[in-house]
Amino acid sequence: MSEPLLKVQDLKIHFSTFYGVAKAVDGISFEVQHGEALGLVGESGSGKSVTGMAILQLIQPPGKVVAGDIIFAGKSLVDYSEKEMQNVRGSKISMIFQNPRTCLNPVLTLGRQIDRVYLQHNNVTPAQASEHRLEMLSRVGIGDPIRFSNNYPHQVSGGMCQRAMIVMAIICEPQLVIADEPTTGLDVTIQRQIMELLAEMRERMNETQILITHDLGVVAETCHRIVVMYASRVMEVSPTRQLFNEPLHPYTIGLLNSIPRVDIDEQPTPLPGYVPNALNRPSGCPFHPRCSRAQERCQVEQPELVPVKDGRSAACFFVEK
Amino acid sequence: MQTIPDKNSPDQIRNDALFLGKIPSSPHIEESISVPLLEIRDLTIHFIVHRRVTGPNVVVHAADKVSLFVKRGETLGLVGESGSGKTTVGRGALRLIEPTSGEVFLNGQNILKVHTRKLRDMRRKMQMVFQDPADSLNPRFTCRQTLVDALSHACYGSQDILRKALDLLESVGLNPSDLDKYPHQFSGGQQQRIAIARALAFTPELLILDEPTASLDVSVKTQVTQLLRELQKKFNLSFILISHDLSNVKYMTNRVAVMYLGQIIEIGNTSDIFSKPMHPYTRVLIDSVPVPDPDQKRKRASLIGEIPSATEPPAGCRFHTRCPIRFEICDQKEPHLAKLANGHMVACHLVNSSSE
């Protein structure tokens, strides 16, 4: 098997707050292969966005990567200086953020913002950048790229803002694109358009993507492999089809049973309880207070993520090997 | 000044009984079975946006001639993209927005014709649960204060208030120990439970739920929807569920109205709408929902473009600019809602012409 493009090893990110240390990410490991679309699924507070930010070294104080390594194309990003990271961000790894309206600069036209990224990483004239931008905009299906470029973010819809974000993310043809909830907050019809666009970009530009989302429907349709996170830990890693057909971890099973579905008539059964607070994680397995299979052992001992079968792994004592 | 009702008045007795879950439904049901709880006729809400000094004012057609009804104990779903006017209709039904024209009947009484004081009485019968509980709860009020405030407006005497607050908490699945906590001490799901308890303080007959689970976590969403369904049975409530989450709408509602650019384009029983959607827009909307099943490779129709501006709705059928199967007449003539079987109604020329 070839060397993975990205390797996250035992990553721990802690935020020290007035009330104590919040372990936002508590020892997670996963790999992303070349050309793959990996889904990072979890509820809010599970640490999925923080993981995405950490890959780009965007964790701000009071947050801190306290342990672990992030290896991208054979090099450890943790050792990079801020200056070196700036050359990585946008050109080799880029990010699409959840809320395009708050992430775009309101006082610059969309065109200027996109050009800035391209000019930062390429030795070209502004005219060349603008030409390249217009070409990219028409590639993502924008009918009138010139008019679009002259708009300010507030003049276009949320879906169009997200398209501008996507163009900013892919304009330097990065190897890895991290999309953090790219379709949350958009209408289903626009969500479908954006999902199709991301899939098309992946195929045409040979991108590797990490898709961070809470929507199991979105990952089922777009990702090859899925990492399920809960309370700062990875619960299960599995290829998409197997995960949905035969979920291993009790959390994955509960989550899949709890979502109402538009395609079948089955009644969902809710998962009992609430997501634990980041400052006060349960001892042992973080899922044990809500788990139907929990036993005494689960309250004391933390299960490790271990390989199960067919390239799948799960962090549960009761998953059969 | 509010009138404090007589403790032994029939209304008060019914309220008390409802609280304790003693009677499942309103005693007036039998006599008014034929009259829907809420009926909206030709509700039109236009917003006038004042442009610059020189330019003309712009009219936003937020809702145009919307007619619908809600029967007792049923849930009506209002779905559509953002900007389709579903929230506006919900708010118009409560007269939180003053409609431009149309009629809204609650129990046969037109709420748009009544004066302020009577309106306040009628609003107790219809309450709203908003999308984001973190915004709709007062951050400086403890759960107790929030409930006591609502209950005092619901005209309960001071000696009963605490007992009722506890009853309410219990009915939404919270503990008495939660009474003195502030909203920020609760999780999103729990906050929404408090917001629901507050709405129930008035023993309403109709709850308008505006995206009640949109801001909640996946695993908590279903808990809240299930709670709402339980409460509906227990108190014989009627719901209007405003949502863009079609899977949830399918699970929760009896009937669905699909809105596009301020108009209802399809309305019918939930099972009919989801199993055989007639309007091309409804079809695309249902097809666009991502399905958590990687084996399902359905042929999906995706929609081009975005919802047009409500300031200048397209002529003819408002959907014709994005419709995959439009033909000549669509941009000229506006289709009317045509009746099919089972109260199913569709506004589409293609359906209308084939049924005629």
Side-chain angles (χ1 to χ4, degrees), chain B residues 155-183:
Chain B
C155 301
Y156 282 103
S158 51
Q159 60 270 60
D160 299 332
I161 280 190
L162 189 65
R163 181 175 58 87
K164 293 202 156 80
L166 287 168
D167 285 345
L168 281 175
L169 267 195
E170 198 198 320
S171 61
V172 296
L174 290 174
N175 296 320
S177 60
D178 294 330
L179 259 186
D180 289 311
K181 286 191 195 161
Y182 286 92

Side-chain angles (χ1 to χ4, degrees), chain A residues 43-44 157 187 189 191-193 217 221 241 244-245 258-260 262-265 267 270-274 290, chain B residues 81-82 187 190 193 217-219 222-223 226 247 250-251 274 288 290-292 294-296 300 303 305-306:
Chain A
E43 297 178 76
S44 48
S157 65
D187 281 312
T189 50
Q191 164 169 294
R192 167 116 347 246
Q193 293 171 4
E221 291 187 10
R241 175 156 299 149
F244 285 94
N245 290 345
S258 78
I259 45 174
V262 78
D263 56 326
I264 50 172
D265 284 328
Q267 297 284 307
L271 260 172
Y274 295 99
R290 303 174 77 184
Chain B
E81 287 172 280
S82 45
S187 68
Q190 289 169 319
R193 283 168 195 263
D217 269 323
V218 196
S219 70
T222 317
Q223 288 178 6
Q226 201 161 51
S247 347
K250 185 184 179 193
Y251 167 51
F274 280 90
S288 299
V291 172
D295 289 331
Q296 221 180 86
R300 296 176 166 287
L303 209 53
E306 297 182 1

Side-chain angles (χ1 to χ4, degrees), chain A residues 266-302:
Chain A
E266 237 166 84
Q267 297 284 307
T269 28
L271 260 172
Y274 295 99
V275 182
N277 189 302
L279 286 167
N280 190 15
R281 297 285 196 220
S283 61
C285 172
F287 186 59
H288 84 258
R290 303 174 77 184
C291 182
S292 55
R293 290 160 84 179
Q295 289 178 14
E296 256 175 57
R297 187 182 175 193
C298 305
Q299 296 173 23
V300 228
E301 208 181 322
Q302 201 165 45

Side-chain angles (χ1 to χ4, degrees), chain A residues 3-296:
Chain A
E3 185 69 10
L5 179 65
L6 180 82
K7 234 161 121 178
V8 174
Q9 284 172 337
D10 201 28
L11 185 69
K12 286 186 182 169
I13 304 164
H14 292 181
F15 286 74
S16 8
T17 68
F18 182 74
Y19 303 99
V21 175
K23 295 177 179 174
V25 170
D26 195 18
I28 66 161
S29 308
F30 62 89
E31 291 172 357
V32 190
Q33 305 294 337
H34 286 273
E36 177 181 51
L38 180 85
L40 212 54
V41 184
E43 297 178 76
S44 48
S46 61
K48 54 192 194 311
S49 288
V50 177
T51 307
M53 303 276 266
I55 295 169
L56 279 169
Q57 303 285 304
L58 286 174
I59 303 290
Q60 298 282 330
K64 199 167 182 275
V65 176
V66 291
D69 208 349
I70 297 161
I71 297 162
F72 175 73
K75 292 199 189 84
S76 169
L77 293 181
V78 178
D79 303 335
Y80 273 32
S81 67
E82 178 60 25
K83 206 159 179 206
E84 285 170 310
M85 263 327 283
Q86 279 179 7
N87 288 328
V88 174
R89 290 183 202 130
S91 75
K92 297 201 176 71
I93 310 176
S94 64
M95 192 146 179
I96 298 165
F97 293 95
Q98 171 172 358
N99 195 334
R101 273 199 210 283
T102 52
C103 292
L104 291 171
N105 189 334
V107 296
L108 291 182
T109 60
L110 293 169
R112 285 228 12 223
Q113 300 190 47
I114 298 168
D115 285 356
R116 277 187 161 192
V117 182
Y118 197 62
L119 288 166
Q120 170 82 26
H121 296 290
N122 294 280
N123 196 9
V124 290
T125 63
Q128 285 169 314
S130 140
E131 199 177 307
H132 185 68
R133 180 229 312 151
L134 295 178
E135 189 199 314
M136 288 300 276
L137 283 172
S138 43
R139 271 172 78 175
V140 301
I142 284 165
D144 189 348
I146 296 176
R147 205 177 128 203
F148 180 84
S149 302
N150 290 331
N151 277 327
Y152 288 91
H154 73 271
Q155 292 174 304
V156 299
S157 65
M160 282 299 164
C161 278
Q162 195 56 286
R163 281 199 173 81
M165 281 287 286
I166 291 174
V167 171
M168 278 169 81
I170 61 173
I171 197 147
C172 296
E173 308 197 4
Q175 289 168 280
L176 177 66
V177 173
I178 302 169
D180 187 0
E181 304 267 13
T183 59
T184 310
L186 301 178
D187 281 312
V188 277
T189 50
I190 309 299
Q191 164 169 294
R192 167 116 347 246
Q193 293 171 4
I194 297 289
M195 277 165 65
E196 276 167 10
L197 177 65
L198 285 172
E200 202 186 308
M201 288 299 126
R202 185 174 67 237
E203 265 163 42
R204 246 205 291 180
M205 305 176 71
N206 195 23
E207 267 173 28
T208 307
Q209 288 177 349
I210 297 181
L211 188 69
I212 300 171
T213 181
H214 66 272
D215 192 328
L216 287 160
V218 171
V219 284
E221 291 187 10
T222 48
C223 295
H224 302 116
R225 237 155 36 90
I226 292 170
V227 174
V228 181
M229 286 186 73
Y230 180 79
S232 317
R233 308 267 302 171
V234 174
M235 297 284 115
E236 181 169 353
V237 182
S238 171
T240 307
R241 175 156 299 149
Q242 283 94 318
L243 185 94
F244 285 94
N245 290 345
E246 189 207 345
L248 296 175
H249 197 281
Y251 173 64
T252 322
I253 299 170
L255 199 60
L256 283 171
N257 287 337
S258 78
I259 45 174
R261 289 172 60 165
V262 78
D263 56 326
I264 50 172
D265 284 328
E266 237 166 84
Q267 297 284 307
T269 28
L271 260 172
Y274 295 99
V275 182
N277 189 302
L279 286 167
N280 190 15
R281 297 285 196 220
S283 61
C285 172
F287 186 59
H288 84 258
R290 303 174 77 184
C291 182
S292 55
R293 290 160 84 179
Q295 289 178 14
E296 256 175 57

Side-chain angles (χ1 to χ4, degrees), chain B residues 40-319:
Chain B
I40 296 177
R41 279 189 215 149
D42 289 337
L43 185 75
T44 302
I45 300 173
H46 289 173
F47 297 113
I48 294 169
V49 181
H50 298 278
R51 272 222 183 133
R52 280 168 231 116
V53 197
T54 47
N57 289 339
V58 183
V59 178
V60 178
H61 299 248
D64 256 340
K65 292 203 182 293
V66 170
S67 299
L68 51 86
F69 63 89
V70 183
K71 286 183 276 191
R72 274 169 208 284
E74 83 164 353
T75 305
L76 173 79
L78 266 185
V79 302
E81 287 172 280
S82 45
S84 60
K86 47 193 197 306
T87 301
T88 308
V89 170
R91 294 190 175 199
L94 277 179
R95 207 174 153 186
L96 291 175
I97 302 172
E98 205 62 44
T100 313
S101 68
E103 291 164 309
V104 179
F105 295 95
L106 183 76
N107 285 324
Q109 201 165 17
N110 191 342
I111 69 157
L112 303 181
K113 292 266 162 66
V114 298
H115 54 83
T116 329
R117 198 153 137 200
K118 177 74 184 150
L119 179 67
R120 202 186 296 158
D121 284 342
M122 291 178 79
R123 279 216 184 112
R124 296 201 180 105
K125 300 272 173 251
M126 31 189 207
Q127 285 292 310
M128 191 140 183
V129 175
F130 295 93
Q131 173 167 0
D132 192 348
D135 287 342
S136 71
L137 294 172
N138 188 335
R140 289 164 187 264
F141 272 19
T142 58
C143 175
R144 182 199 299 266
Q145 285 170 302
T146 301
L147 294 179
V148 166
D149 187 39
L151 286 165
S152 63
H153 284 294
C155 301
Y156 282 103
S158 51
Q159 60 270 60
D160 299 332
I161 280 190
L162 189 65
R163 181 175 58 87
K164 293 202 156 80
L166 287 168
D167 285 345
L168 281 175
L169 267 195
E170 198 198 320
S171 61
V172 296
L174 290 174
N175 296 320
S177 60
D178 294 330
L179 259 186
D180 289 311
K181 286 191 195 161
Y182 286 92
H184 73 267
Q185 293 171 294
F186 292 101
S187 68
Q190 289 169 319
Q191 288 174 356
Q192 195 61 293
R193 283 168 195 263
I194 298 172
I196 293 167
R198 178 179 60 184
L200 290 177
F202 297 87
T203 50
E205 292 172 30
L206 175 72
L207 275 190
I208 296 180
L209 309 163
D210 190 357
E211 307 266 15
T213 57
S215 61
L216 303 180
D217 269 323
V218 196
S219 70
V220 180
K221 250 181 206 178
T222 317
Q223 288 178 6
V224 173
T225 12
Q226 201 161 51
L227 170 73
L228 286 167
R229 283 170 61 130
E230 281 164 21
L231 293 170
Q232 177 168 43
K233 267 192 214 135
K234 195 166 158 196
F235 299 120
N236 193 36
L237 298 167
S238 305
F239 290 156
I240 293 184
L241 176 69
I242 299 166
S243 180
H244 64 266
D245 183 349
L246 285 152
S247 347
N248 199 16
V249 166
K250 185 184 179 193
Y251 167 51
M252 263 196 84
T253 60
N254 306 100
R255 288 190 307 125
V256 183
V258 185
M259 290 193 67
Y260 188 78
L261 270 182
Q263 291 178 327
I264 290 180
I265 51 124
E266 184 163 4
I267 185 166
N269 293 331
T270 306
S271 52
D272 291 339
I273 296 271
F274 280 90
S275 62
K276 39 178 198 283
M278 299 304 286
H279 199 284
Y281 178 65
T282 315
R283 230 171 284 159
V284 175
L285 210 57
I286 294 172
D287 266 2
S288 299
V289 181
V291 172
D293 182 358
D295 289 331
Q296 221 180 86
K297 291 274 178 251
R298 290 191 292 171
K299 198 189 168 310
R300 296 176 166 287
S302 68
L303 209 53
I304 25 157
E306 297 182 1
I307 193 163
S309 158
T311 52
E312 293 154 33
C317 172
R318 293 192 175 177
F319 184 58

